[in-house]
Amino acid sequence: MKTGSFSFANFAAIWLAALLSIVTVQSVAAQSTRNWDRRVAAGSEMEFQWLNYDEKTCKDRGHPRLIINTPPSLGTYRAERRKFTQRTGRCKGKKLSVLLVYYVAGRTKGRDRTSYTIRGAGDIRINLKMRIY
């Protein structure tokens, strides 16, 4: 009987460890994906800013890259690279690279689903649900 109990305890411990590792992997993946619902007027644009720097050392890592995964059907994207001077916090006064991503809504009202990835020090996937009014 002790052997059967021991086997069940081992099986339960292995199963629990496997379950926890799956949950951990899913939560790590969730940190790199953002799901946003936004509203924008037809014919106008919405700006998203992305910095690419080391928060501990304030070292600039250059401009991140925009990769469009799912193109918008009711609008377009445009991007601009700029330098940004941090005004507050640990990196105050440092010039950092910023990528400005603009969702430019078309004239047609409706709902648009699109996604893009910001490739920098770490990849961030953005899933946008745009409501054009």
Side-chain angles (χ1 to χ4, degrees):
M1 285 200 152
K2 288 184 180 181
T3 307
S5 306
F6 182 73
S7 297
F8 178 75
N10 283 344
F11 173 76
I14 292 170
W15 183 81
L16 182 60
L19 179 64
L20 289 173
S21 71
I22 290 170
V23 170
T24 302
V25 168
Q26 288 176 346
S27 65
V28 168
Q31 290 174 357
S32 63
T33 301
R34 297 180 186 170
N35 298 302
W36 291 338
D37 293 327
R38 298 289 191 265
R39 294 171 41 110
V40 63
S44 65
E45 61 188 19
M46 180 169 284
E47 178 185 284
F48 302 93
Q49 297 181 9
W50 300 100
L51 292 166
N52 188 33
Y53 71 102
D54 186 319
E55 293 178 18
K56 292 179 185 175
T57 64
C58 299
K59 181 180 178 187
D60 186 17
R61 293 186 172 156
H63 292 97
R65 286 187 341 165
L66 170 67
I67 300 168
I68 298 173
N69 304 314
T70 307
S73 58
L74 298 177
T76 59
Y77 284 113
R78 72 179 180 86
E80 290 181 25
R81 294 176 169 191
R82 291 196 183 154
K83 288 293 186 179
F84 170 80
T85 302
Q86 189 78 17
R87 293 188 181 147
T88 61
R90 179 182 193 132
C91 301
K92 183 177 178 177
K94 297 282 186 175
K95 271 199 163 190
L96 304 171
S97 299
V98 62
L99 178 68
L100 303 174
V101 175
Y102 296 90
Y103 174 87
V104 183
R107 298 281 177 204
T108 305
K109 295 178 182 179
R111 297 184 186 270
D112 201 357
R113 287 181 176 241
T114 180
S115 69
Y116 64 87
T117 298
I118 296 298
R119 179 140 306 146
D123 291 354
I124 302 171
R125 182 182 173 102
I126 307 300
N127 296 318
L128 281 176
K129 290 181 190 175
M130 299 299 290
R131 182 169 176 235
I132 301 168
Y133 62 93

